[in-house]
Amino acid sequence: MAVRAVRGAVQLERDEAGHMDEQVSELLTAVLERNGLTTDDLISIWFTATPDLHSDFPAAAARKLGIVDVPLICAQELEIEGAMPRVVRVLAHIESDKPRADIAHVYLGAAGALRKDIAQ
């Protein structure tokens, strides 16, 4: 099996812990489903959040989904003028037999505008 990386993002409507949990869970579920993955295929996941999100750690949603034995880390995105607000991004390292070109990167809702070149 090869090590691959899957990208994704979602824009939150508001900075509330329950809403973040819901949206990040939806994003992670879509990443797994669209790539035919189980939690056993996960190596690690990096989460970033824009500086305007303070209500919770995005990784908390992964733990609630049962992703408990995978290393997770959260970091803050750069604060760039004009950047899309309230965005959680994910970079998941996975084991997969899929060629790199067949990996489905998941950008939900308005976050699809961030990477029109790879969003599926």
Side-chain angles (χ1 to χ4, degrees):
M1 289 230 185
V3 174
R4 301 285 184 228
V6 183
R7 290 287 318 270
V10 64
Q11 183 182 39
L12 278 59
E13 294 176 14
R14 58 194 176 280
D15 183 23
E16 293 176 2
H19 181 61
M20 179 181 290
D21 181 57
E22 174 187 291
Q23 293 298 298
V24 173
S25 294
E26 183 180 339
L27 175 61
L28 291 173
T29 299
V31 165
L32 293 172
E33 288 177 356
R34 293 182 194 180
N35 287 287
L37 301 170
T38 68
T39 57
D40 288 339
D41 300 315
L42 296 170
I43 297 169
S44 64
I45 305 175
W46 282 79
F47 296 91
T48 64
T50 51
D52 52 1
L53 294 175
H54 308 279
S55 63
D56 203 358
F57 294 100
R63 298 294 185 218
K64 290 177 186 173
L65 280 177
I67 302 173
V68 295
D69 61 349
V70 175
L72 309 175
I73 192 164
C74 297
Q76 186 174 337
E77 277 289 328
L78 295 173
E79 189 168 359
I80 304 297
E81 188 174 326
M84 184 179 286
R86 300 178 316 281
V87 175
V88 174
R89 291 173 174 86
V90 62
L91 172 64
H93 299 96
I94 63 169
E95 292 181 323
S96 177
D97 287 329
K98 286 185 176 190
R100 187 175 290 135
D102 292 346
I103 298 296
H105 304 283
V106 180
Y107 289 77
L108 300 179
L114 295 172
R115 289 298 305 265
K116 292 179 183 177
D117 58 324
I118 65 170
Q120 296 181 8

